[in-house]
Amino acid sequence: MDPKVLKHYLLVHDNQDGDSEKATKILTEMRSTFGPNDCQLLCINFSQDGQTRHKDTPWSTFRSDALATEHLGRFLKLDDLNEIKNLMQELSSKHIIPYMEQKIRLLNQQVSSTRKGFRNQFKNLWWRKGKEDALDTTNGPVYTFSSIESQIRVLGDYAFMLRDYELAVSSYRLISTDYKLDKAWKRYAGVQEMIGLTYFMLDQSRKEAEYCMENAFNTYLKLGSAVQQNATRCGLWWIEMLKTRNQIKEAATVYFRICGEDLLHSAVMLEQASFCYLLSKPPMLHKYGFHLVLSGDHYKKCDQIKHAIRTYRNAVSVYRGTTWNLIKDRVHFHIGQWYASLGMYDVAVTHMLEILASSHQSKTSQELFLRDFLHIVQKTGKTFEVLKLQLPVINISSLKVIFEDHRTYASPAAASIKEGVWRSLEEDMIPSLFAKSNWLDVQSKLIPRKYKESNICVAGEAIIVDIEFKNPLQIPISILNVSLICELSANPEELNSEANSSNVEPQNDEYKTSTSTGDINSSLVLSEVDFSLEGGETILVQLTVTPRVEGILTIVGVKWKLSSSVVGLHNFESNSVNKRIAKGRRKPKHSPSADLKFIVIKSLPRLQGFIPSLPEKTYAGDLRHLVLELNNQSKFPVKNLKMKISNPRFLNAGNQSYLNVEFSACLEKKLNVEQSVGHANAKKMLQNVFHFPEDISVQEETSLSWPLWFHAAVPGNISLYITVYYEMENVSSIMKFRTLRMHYNLQVLPSLDVSFELSPCPSRLEEFLLRMDVVNKTSSECFQIHQLSSVGQQWDVSLLQPVDSILPSQSLFAGQVLSCFFMLKYHRKSSTSEDSNPLFLQSDVRLGPPGNSEALFDVCSSPLADFHDYERLYQGMSCQGNVDFVFITQLWRGNIDSGAPHRPLLFSHHVCHCSLSSFSPISWFVDGPRTIQHNFSASPCGVNLKMTINNSSDAASSVHVKTFDPPSSNSQSIDATASQSGLPLENQVGWFSIPAVNDTKVITTDALAKRITKSVSLESAPQFIWTGSSSTKLKLQPRATAEVPLQICVFAPGIYDLSNYALNWNLAPIEESQGEANKSSGECQGYPYYLTVVQST
Amino acid sequence: MTTTACFIIVSRNDIPIYEAEVGSAAKREDAAQLPQFILQAALDIVQDLAWTTSAMFLKAIDKFNDLVVSVYVTADRTRFMLLLDSRSDDGIKSFFQEVHELYIKSLLNPLYLPGSRITS
């Protein structure tokens, strides 16, 4: 330090302490000691009472943090203040500044004499070089006050203070090189700092200033922690410089660089840096958040938790709404933790909630989050009710409300079927009277319009709400006490009259906390479900609410308990009453509030129905006897039952008399078959609605059983819908009837594949060869064949060969194929009988073991016939001349669904419409001798033949038989072929099911015929001629047979093909019966008929 | 010194659509999300820089202590951000180009909705 600093002595006298005389005495003493010019007296506090009030503290402009409450300067009068001011001005203007100026002059002189000028510089260089060797410490040489470097520095400082920046810069620069050369880094940095500041004050070259500051800063940093404070100061100067120049971003980086090892220091600096980022234009929010988090971490490390929370909370506002979940979670987690450590659990919980459902986190962190969360919640010591608890996640779109108004469901599965399916099923069952003015209209008079759109449910019947819970985490969580939140209020109308009724829960305008609703309300019964969710699992939970009294029920939401202390609430609707929930963004827009509002009406009878033994899995063809059971558990009887089954091919209502009959007994053939019953029944079935007899009503707490027939018609997955309609006797005004809907799914596996093929027997009229192919398509089952019956027009089925020869065991093993041939014969006589229904006559072939005395099954009576009817309906349009077959097998193992083990399962396979129509309606048959011995030497041989023509169609037809001799009628034959190929082309539509094939066939046979005739004509001259009439015309009545005599004359022995004749037939149209088909006509070439004529000796 | 690398694809809406972190051994609890923080913070700089140059590869644009952020901006302003503690521009550049190719392939997937999370 310069010992010759300017000295000035000031005596401050406080008038409160004593007289001014004492002060003057001391002043004279001082003057005598220090010299008269340098001493002054300042008297203050002239105020007597100390009550002087200043408008503002005199120092307020200089000390911003002075508190007004301290009443600084109470004793200062205005005069005192003025005197102080004067004194200071005098001091600085008369003493300090002159002194400094003088000093500058002196120093400048000194410096310029030693350092300025070429000579001095040279000397200096040389001198420094010499000095270099001597002192080489890390801190550089020690400069005494009197050393020239210090002098220059002082000169610079004085100049800086007096705002002679040019001089300051020049002197600073001068010594900075010196310091650098001397490796006095600390001093060098200091000087650089000053140069930077001076440049800044000069507001000249910015770059230079910044460079200097950076230089200084870096130098400080290099020096390590010892000059940390200097570095900080330098950095702050620098930052201020940058800030003034609006280089805020750069300022932020400098803040960041200032951060040292001191945590608190760094924390403050980082926070400042973050603010710089925020203030920079454009604001760099990401950096802002990042630095806030960094700063918060530092604060946390030095236990400044409140500061840490403050910075983190600022950061939250940055990260809210971004999808950088890891970051968000971390921020919330830390805030939560820190709040918890401060004991502010409520706030902590809100932050912890944010991260609970973080599915993207690793398992460990999820566990950590959950554990900490529960820990914090426990510390709060109360149960939390969290409105938007996201653990587990509720899938709102899965929300499904099942309720029963007039529609009741037998099973949950039935309820999940689309309403349209049921509606179309019930369409013609619900009386039109109700359909037009249904209960909705009726009730609109009773119920305020406001509730018109809401649903109706019946008191005492549960409303089921299905909702999905999903665990977003990878760790299992357990959920307790899941239940619905419901409100039940009385009808507004009734409110007036019975407002004080104990049952009525008053519905206040404000939403009450959930505990009050539901639990304590005896008029509601809520189900509670506990379950645990594995990681990532989704569970569909079924919750029920059962209202006990009439009123209006609203399902508000669902609540659950997470590990015994946290109650999660979720409101299904954004309730307009509750503004707090209204902001819930997860509410789906599509669910109208009406869905969750119910009008509870008083309890009504409700039927329960089920089919106990309906198999879930069966083989095709399975025929069973089932029982439908209907239960009425209420006190009121129901009546007027009707039933409709969606798929009558599979399920049929039976006659009540069958209820207790042994299953197969009612199928077996009885002697006194009541065909009329079955038939009438069948007709009813076709309308698909089964009316229970009028006198049947289900009384209170009884059950009704009704037989059903089941037949698995085709393989596949079948859905059966059954609706039972019933009416209540003491009707409430709102609902007069209800329907019970039942739904069953069953899987029908393919069992036997039965196909039939019919081919006309060439040698007999009205006889057909029937081939039955049966393939056992099951994998393991073994069927025992039982019977084949033909249904339809009057056909007789008979075996061509005994079954034993085809299938000795009478059973078909898995995968086995069976082909059987039968003879099918037209049963002529019954066509005249009118009273018996032609459709329901049958003929059976027993295929079972011969020793089996079991009766054949009657395919014409109720169940089989009914099913057969449907089969006919489904398998195609009915056409004349068709045969239907029923093939019945038995399966002795009753193990498909472990039904009755000892009773054979019966399988019936219906194949309908085995068509005969591909054959022409006219069939004929030429009969005559096959081999003739004749002595040609005597005379040509005349052979009489007989052609039997049968008209199998329902129309009268005219038949024209033409014979033509091969040689003479060649042209005619060509004519015939032409006409023949032409005619079918025109008419084949009506008569040939496979036109193309038929066409070619005709042509080829025709060509063949032509070739034959030609070859015959070429090789061997006419060896026979048709004698007798060459053309015969006759009329055939429907289903009539006629005989035409034919005669040929043979001239030589040989084998003759008598196929050169043609049959033209023409169906006469029956009046308006079958339009187009009747007009058809056709021409057929003759069948080959070989006649062997042998020369007799 | 453990080499850690963090790679994030950020969609144009500043949503991370792909995150991968490799070679981070024994992370400290308090620095668990540091790479994410750094990369997110670097978005500001990317935003400034992306318009100043026509090159897709922006080299090292930001650094935090010894961690360097390299960024590659695709034409639709999707950003590939790589945080590395070692600097080798050429390697990073070729890595980015490879990633870009893969990214385009995933964009071509008709089932991929641009801007949604890439899952493999």
Side-chain angles (χ1 to χ4, degrees), chain A residues 198 266 408 473 800 847 1016:
Chain A
T198 322
S266 327
T408 61
L473 304 182
L800 270 184
L847 297 173
V1016 166

Side-chain angles (χ1 to χ4, degrees), chain A residues 672-683:
Chain A
N672 51 349
V673 186
E674 291 178 62
Q675 291 200 346
S676 57
V677 173
H679 182 57
N681 218 346
K683 284 283 178 247

